Amino acid sequence: MQLAKSFEQAACVLVLLATQRPDIPLTSDVIHERIGGSASYIRKIIRKLVVADLVASTSGNNGGVQLARSPETISIKDVVLAIEGPLHTFPDRGYFDQVFKDVQPVADEGTKVVNGIFSQADQLWLEFLSGQKIAALIKDLLAVSQIPVLNWNNQSEDKMGQLNQILARMRTAK
């Protein structure tokens, strides 16, 4: 199984929002500029995150999107389900029924057994991902104890320089 590219883009949206000043919504234009790709596709991803209650949207001149929940409570599982929908890695295209059509109940039992195996595997994978939080991902990535925040909307600022200054201060404060 391979996740769609929209999962990675959604994770990037959430990381941007987690590092955005919480009092200033991030515009979809800025998100699109940072991630790239199609602007309408990024808006569709954001919409899925809104529907999943991971992101809140505000309209108007000062509108944009913000995290709907703390990054400490948002798991990778939440993002997978928001983007991919319910997980079913076994496609069950009916081959057991076709191959064993003249040997019943083997066909039905084969399908049930294989579905059960993959259902258990799906649940184990989702359980693992539910313990992986966006906040921990960011902290591990940046080697800091708290998430740095800045205003991604201000395009005139040197974001990398600003982020490096914040990270240096955080690391020396340890």
Side-chain angles (χ1 to χ4, degrees):
M1 185 193 97
Q2 184 172 342
L3 297 171
K5 76 175 183 176
S6 55
F7 167 79
E8 185 176 2
Q9 292 168 319
C12 288
V13 168
L14 293 172
V15 169
L16 279 171
L17 294 176
T19 57
Q20 172 68 13
R21 280 184 41 188
D23 59 321
I24 303 173
L26 188 57
T27 67
S28 61
D29 289 340
V30 170
I31 293 170
H32 167 253
E33 183 178 311
R34 297 213 63 88
I35 294 176
S38 161
S40 63
Y41 192 66
I42 294 296
R43 284 193 294 276
K44 287 178 185 178
I45 291 169
I46 292 170
R47 181 72 188 134
K48 286 183 177 186
L49 296 172
V50 168
V51 169
D53 292 324
L54 301 177
V55 170
S57 178
T58 308
S59 59
N61 289 339
N62 296 320
V65 292
Q66 297 168 291
L67 288 182
R69 302 185 342 218
S70 162
E72 283 82 8
T73 67
I74 299 173
S75 70
I76 302 297
K77 173 188 173 184
D78 296 330
V79 185
V80 168
L81 295 178
I83 299 303
E84 302 286 340
L87 183 65
H88 302 287
T89 54
F90 180 63
D92 191 3
R93 293 193 172 92
Y95 289 114
F96 281 99
D97 293 335
Q98 181 179 331
V99 170
F100 299 106
K101 63 184 169 216
D102 55 343
V103 188
Q104 286 297 337
V106 172
D108 291 338
E109 284 306 309
T111 300
K112 286 178 190 173
V113 168
V114 175
N115 270 316
I117 290 168
F118 279 91
S119 179
Q120 281 183 301
D122 293 345
Q123 286 309 114
L124 289 170
W125 190 63
L126 289 174
E127 283 175 33
F128 174 77
L129 293 180
S130 70
Q132 310 305 309
K133 305 297 182 188
I134 294 292
L137 180 145
I138 296 168
K139 292 173 188 176
D140 288 350
L141 172 71
L142 300 175
V144 294
S145 59
Q146 66 183 49
I147 298 173
V149 294
L150 47 111
N151 183 4
W152 292 104
N153 287 320
N154 190 338
Q155 298 300 316
S156 63
E157 294 178 355
D158 171 21
K159 295 294 183 245
M160 194 49 89
Q162 193 178 19
L163 185 58
N164 282 330
Q165 287 176 354
I166 293 169
L167 293 174
R169 281 195 305 270
M170 293 173 98
R171 290 177 183 141
T172 57
K174 280 186 179 180

